[in-house]
Amino acid sequence: APIVRRESSAHLARTLTAVIAEHPTLSTQRALARRSGIGQRTISRICRGEASPRVDTIERLADVLGVDVAMFLRRRRRIR
């Protein structure tokens, strides 16, 4: 599966951290790890912008958190 590019890692980190903090039942990385089956260490690295996760990992996180995966994926803008 494709991997998120480094320039999108900061966006993903900010967005995932905010969504976790605001979630009514999965407001910790540990709770999200348990529910998603993704390691807490991996989630922590994503939240710090230190990981470039595969798209299927991001899709699983979005599904478990009940958000659209598009909010985690940043489109690259073309310079005209």
Side-chain angles (χ1 to χ4, degrees):
I3 295 176
V4 173
R5 296 180 186 272
R6 287 197 183 275
E7 62 266 18
S8 298
S9 292
H11 171 76
L12 173 60
R14 286 190 305 272
T15 305
L16 180 59
T17 299
V19 171
I20 292 169
E22 295 173 9
H23 197 278
T25 59
L26 300 173
S27 60
T28 66
Q29 292 177 8
R30 186 175 184 180
L32 180 57
R34 286 182 177 166
R35 179 78 61 85
S36 67
I38 297 168
Q40 193 272 327
R41 183 179 293 179
T42 299
I43 293 170
S44 177
R45 291 187 69 233
I46 294 169
C47 287
R48 290 192 314 264
E50 296 174 358
S52 296
R54 297 184 326 214
V55 172
D56 63 326
T57 299
I58 297 170
E59 289 171 340
R60 188 174 339 153
L61 291 169
D63 185 51
V64 169
L65 289 164
V67 297
D68 188 337
V69 71
M71 75 183 307
F72 292 133
L73 302 174
R74 186 177 193 168
R75 288 187 177 194
R76 295 178 72 179
R77 295 183 183 181
R78 291 185 180 179
I79 299 172
R80 295 181 186 205

